[in-house]
Amino acid sequence: MQDEGSARQPESGRGRIVVRMEAETDPAFGSRPGERSLAGRLLGCLVVLDKPAGMTSRSASDEVGRAIGVRGTGHSGTLDPAVTGVLPVGAGTGLKVLELLLASGKEYEGTMAVHGAVDPGELAEAAGRFVGEIVQVPPVRSRVKREPRKRLVHAFGITGVEGRRARFRCAVQAGTYVRKLVHDLGEALGCGAHMTGLRRTKAGPFTLRDAVGLDDLFSAAEESGRGSQGRLSAMLLPPEAACGGLRAVWAADGAVARLLAGSPLFLPGVIKLESGIVRGEEVAMLTLKDELIAVGRAEMSSEEMASLASGAAVRVRKAVMLKGVYP
């Protein structure tokens, strides 16, 4: 086996690439994500929208579809109408990766009103007590059953205090209600508090740097209609962009069609893989052109995939690529 780690600098927490065998990909089939035409991108894409205030996530998703001329869009992680910020929207095969983003962590910046006089140091200390595993009951106006559930708060800090108004930042597990987090902070202080504003700054791998406004999206679409497609193409991210948090296994061209038919990825079809994979882990199954074929469950560890000659390495959980791209 050959370790490709020196050829590719791994992201934080990611493994090096181990090559099981040498193989080439046929340029006649598929295309690298960054080389797709606008028409190819519209078959499957993600738009990271900077959702404006006063619009539901559903209506914002519909507006993205109207701008790019695609029906049947969907979004990942509902934002209340008053909340702004990062809202990933999927179209085509991009819809199939939205669940990866639903389960990913979120980050926010917001403002709160404290209902009593509180020392800034006391406020910061109280917020720090909510970092870690908390038990949260969803608010009355929520779509989930109102019962206690554990959630992980990675960070919750006060970034400024002006009288009884405070600014904060937090990083939380998916499904954490920030409005309720602020309410519970007020209860811990003994005086009460409520959230007055919220902006999502990160969802999964996407931040505000990746986000585009609706006006810019419509403007880029108009330019595309006049023959200048570059700006719109740059706004349509490939579905592969949602898989940054998954380790990867690369399959031979000849295995792609079988995977899309539901067959497991057997070891003879594994060309290379990331180290650090453990059994049961969710992994991205890629072509040698780095196209996302499917998301699957690892049936072997990286060490087993690298050393064994036969067996099922990964079982398909959700196919993403359109059938017929590879023969």
Side-chain angles (χ1 to χ4, degrees), residues 24-26 29 251-259 265 268-269 271 288 326-327:
E24 295 183 355
T25 179
D26 192 331
F29 306 108
D253 287 3
V256 175
R258 292 193 293 273
L259 292 174
L265 176 59
I271 304 302
L288 295 177
Y326 285 77

Side-chain angles (χ1 to χ4, degrees), residues 191-276:
C191 61
H194 70 275
M195 190 179 77
T196 56
L198 191 66
R199 181 163 174 76
R200 185 190 283 165
T201 57
K202 187 176 182 181
F206 302 124
T207 69
L208 286 170
R209 291 190 299 272
D210 305 304
V212 299
L214 276 175
D215 288 344
D216 287 339
L217 186 62
F218 273 100
S219 173
E222 290 176 2
E223 289 179 8
S224 177
R226 296 193 297 267
S228 180
Q229 300 179 342
R231 195 155 71 101
L232 181 60
S233 290
M235 293 177 178
L236 305 183
L237 304 182
E240 289 82 359
C243 298
L246 300 182
R247 300 186 201 276
V249 176
W250 285 261
D253 287 3
V256 175
R258 292 193 293 273
L259 292 174
L260 295 177
S263 171
L265 176 59
F266 292 101
L267 280 176
V270 176
I271 304 302
K272 56 184 179 179
L273 57 125
E274 279 192 86
S275 63

Side-chain angles (χ1 to χ4, degrees), residues 247 249 267 274-283 296-305 307-308 310-315:
R247 300 186 201 276
V249 176
L267 280 176
E274 279 192 86
S275 63
I277 296 171
V278 298
R279 287 192 182 196
E281 181 177 339
E282 193 164 63
V283 297
R297 178 184 182 275
E299 297 293 307
M300 298 179 177
S301 67
S302 290
E303 291 76 11
E304 290 169 320
M305 291 186 203
S307 62
L308 298 179
S310 63
V314 185
R315 294 191 184 276

